[in-house]
Amino acid sequence: MKNVSKLNHFKQTSQQTREVWNRNFTLLMSSTILGSIGAIAGIYALSFVVYEQTQSVFASALSLAIRLIPSLFLPLIAGPLFDRLPRKPVLVAGDFCNGLLYLVMGFWMQFQPFSYLGYLFYSLLLACSSSVDELAYDSILPMVITPGKEQKSYAAAGMVYPLLNLIMMPIAALLMEWIGVPMILISQGCLSLAAAWVESHMRLSHDLKQNIKEITFKSWLLDLKKVLAYLKNEPGLLAFFIYAAFSNGVANACSPILIAFFSSTPGLGALSFSFFSVAESMGRLLGGASQYLKEIKPSRRYGFSLMVMIVYNLMDGILLLLPYPFMLANRFCVGTLGSISFSLRTPAIQSYIPESMRARINSFQTLLLYGTSSLLILVFGWIGDFLSAPSVMMIGAGLGMTVLFFTWIVHRQSCEKIFLHFGNLQKK
């Protein structure tokens, strides 16, 4: 009887795995892997190059802020379009353009000395392409997920980037010495072109082809008004979006601070920073795997997610006050809890938003995310030239806790409703 029970359990597990990893979901994840492998290595390497060339935290912060500028206006234009036009061609075109830009930058750096202004211009072009590509990905992902398998699918998708970080961060530190930044960028260009080819093989029969209409400025403006009216009546969604904007903004703003800290602290450096990121990625993998294997009850999801946010901010605040081994443990814990919280929040939010408005709502969230990040990056970059890195991290943690109180805690009932709504959908 035990053998029969084990066989039935194995068959059930295999069936569930096939349902999660359907053809379109597998192709989308494969293209994500191809598009991210070199990008992680390239961005990591360029971050250190910029600081080493300028020796300024603000200059490093400015280069990061420049990459966010397109995300301040492109989502407003692209969001309404994506709710009316097929999304796959946009995703394919985005990765194709990314590939060409990486190739051009790689060959340019191979034969020309580093130029800070040239790097800023290149970052702006790449950010334009990446912003549209990211919005297309966010709109397509819910379409390729098997109904009823949302949480497992988002958990699997959430593990892709941490896994690549885990693998590529140490490799990137070595590749900087072995082959140099130009060859890293050229390699990424080839991988992005391969990602576009993989995405072109997805079959999205319900990709809004029947909804293609004439798009005018009047209809675009009406779409934006509908989004604002919808969010006005959904304080829970707005609370999620506002806190995520500040949380991500603080994380992005502290990135140049951390790079400067590791570059200027004796005994640390680029390789130590890579292991620093590896620890967080390992935590995210563990957190994602736990949600893939076992789900948290809907009634507990809000409380657990809130606890994660509080711990996350506290851990960020004390990060640079710890010895290096404890920093790694700190990042591992943060990565684990953050990944679990992501796997709970994202499917709940995406399933709550009507599909007909999903791209527009996501574009508003993207605008909020990158607008806040751009502002905080510049502010923290300026502060970072005057205050110590640990002090800046503590300021960021204090800001995060304050925003958390006025969003998640003040609007508790509205936030909890979104988690419970997703739980009810899973029961159907």
Side-chain angles (χ1 to χ4, degrees):
M1 290 295 291
K2 285 185 177 181
N3 290 335
V4 173
S5 177
K6 287 181 179 179
L7 181 61
N8 290 335
H9 176 72
F10 175 76
K11 289 181 177 179
Q12 184 180 5
T13 303
S14 298
Q15 177 63 26
Q16 290 178 352
T17 301
R18 286 195 296 271
E19 289 176 354
V20 171
W21 292 93
N22 61 61
R23 172 190 168 87
N24 287 332
F25 183 78
T26 302
L27 288 173
L28 186 61
M29 291 302 102
S30 299
S31 68
T32 302
I33 292 170
L34 288 171
S36 300
I37 287 175
I40 291 171
I43 292 173
Y44 170 83
L46 284 169
S47 297
F48 278 91
V49 168
V50 171
Y51 181 75
E52 288 171 1
Q53 293 288 329
T54 62
Q55 291 297 306
S56 169
V57 176
F58 182 75
S60 298
L62 181 61
S63 69
L64 181 57
I66 285 287
R67 295 205 297 265
L68 302 182
I69 287 177
S71 298
L72 299 179
F73 64 89
L74 282 179
L76 286 175
I77 301 171
L81 298 181
F82 283 6
D83 280 332
R84 296 168 180 265
L85 298 172
R87 298 158 188 175
K88 189 182 85 170
V90 180
L91 184 66
V92 173
D95 273 318
F96 183 79
C97 290
N98 285 344
L100 293 181
L101 287 170
Y102 277 118
L103 287 173
V104 170
M105 182 62 174
F107 282 113
W108 180 72
M109 288 189 68
Q110 183 73 38
F111 300 105
Q112 299 292 331
F114 179 82
S115 166
Y116 181 68
L117 291 178
Y119 173 71
L120 292 182
F121 179 70
Y122 161 76
S123 296
L124 187 62
L125 291 178
L126 183 61
C128 289
S129 177
S130 298
S131 177
V132 174
D133 187 55
E134 181 181 345
L135 186 57
Y137 172 87
D138 289 339
S139 300
I140 283 179
L141 182 56
M143 299 166 60
V144 302
I145 292 175
T146 303
K149 302 298 178 185
E150 290 86 356
Q151 188 163 332
K152 288 183 181 294
S153 298
Y154 274 101
M159 286 191 290
V160 170
Y161 201 78
L163 178 60
L164 294 177
N165 258 327
L166 178 65
I167 297 170
M168 292 306 302
M169 279 297 188
I171 295 176
L174 298 175
L175 290 177
M176 286 175 62
E177 301 294 331
W178 292 349
I179 64 174
V181 176
M183 285 305 300
I184 292 176
L185 296 176
I186 291 171
S187 300
Q188 172 54 21
C190 296
L191 290 171
S192 291
L193 294 178
W197 180 81
V198 171
E199 289 161 351
S200 68
H201 288 75
M202 288 192 297
R203 300 169 184 168
L204 301 177
S205 58
H206 56 302
D207 194 13
L208 300 177
K209 291 180 180 178
Q210 72 278 12
N211 293 339
I212 298 178
K213 303 174 183 177
E214 182 182 359
I215 301 171
T216 63
F217 177 76
K218 184 177 180 180
S219 64
W220 173 80
L221 194 61
L222 182 61
D223 284 337
L224 291 181
K225 289 181 179 179
K226 287 180 179 178
V227 168
L228 295 176
Y230 175 79
L231 289 174
K232 185 178 179 181
N233 296 318
E234 295 291 347
L237 275 180
L238 203 53
F240 283 151
F241 292 168
I242 291 173
Y243 178 74
F246 276 90
S247 178
N248 281 275
V250 169
N252 287 326
C254 289
S255 180
I257 305 297
L258 292 173
I259 288 173
F261 178 81
F262 274 80
S263 296
S264 59
T265 302
L268 296 178
L271 189 58
S272 295
F273 184 76
S274 71
F275 287 116
F276 185 79
S277 301
V278 163
E280 184 170 347
S281 298
M282 289 178 66
R284 291 189 179 278
L285 281 174
L286 177 62
S290 69
Q291 285 303 286
Y292 189 82
L293 298 173
K294 187 176 182 179
E295 299 181 357
I296 295 176
K297 292 181 180 180
S299 59
R300 298 179 180 175
R301 291 174 185 173
Y302 169 81
F304 179 84
S305 296
L306 179 61
M307 179 272 292
V308 167
M309 304 303 174
I310 294 172
V311 172
Y312 211 112
N313 283 295
L314 292 175
M315 298 288 266
D316 276 352
I318 65 171
L319 177 63
L320 297 184
L321 301 176
L322 303 171
Y324 182 68
F326 288 98
M327 286 186 193
L328 299 180
N330 179 305
R331 292 298 91 184
F332 178 81
C333 293
V334 162
T336 302
L337 294 173
S339 180
I340 295 174
S341 178
F342 171 85
S343 299
L344 296 177
R345 285 193 325 273
T346 306
I349 291 171
Q350 293 300 321
S351 64
Y352 189 83
I353 300 171
E355 184 177 348
S356 61
M357 296 185 68
R358 186 174 290 136
R360 281 169 286 179
I361 299 294
N362 285 339
S363 68
F364 176 83
Q365 183 187 17
T366 301
L367 172 68
L368 201 58
L369 280 170
Y370 288 112
T372 306
S373 288
S374 298
L375 177 62
L376 291 177
I377 285 169
L378 293 176
V379 171
F380 277 53
W382 177 74
I383 292 173
D385 278 333
F386 299 97
L387 298 180
S388 66
S391 298
V392 176
M393 293 295 292
M394 293 180 71
I395 291 172
L399 177 62
M401 291 290 280
T402 303
V403 176
L404 180 65
F405 174 79
F406 286 105
T407 53
W408 279 63
I409 296 176
V410 170
H411 297 286
R412 175 185 179 124
Q413 289 185 338
S414 299
C415 293
E416 198 167 14
K417 179 181 72 171
I418 295 172
F419 285 109
L420 294 175
H421 172 268
F422 178 58
N424 292 333
L425 287 179
Q426 288 182 299
K427 293 177 182 177
K428 294 180 180 180

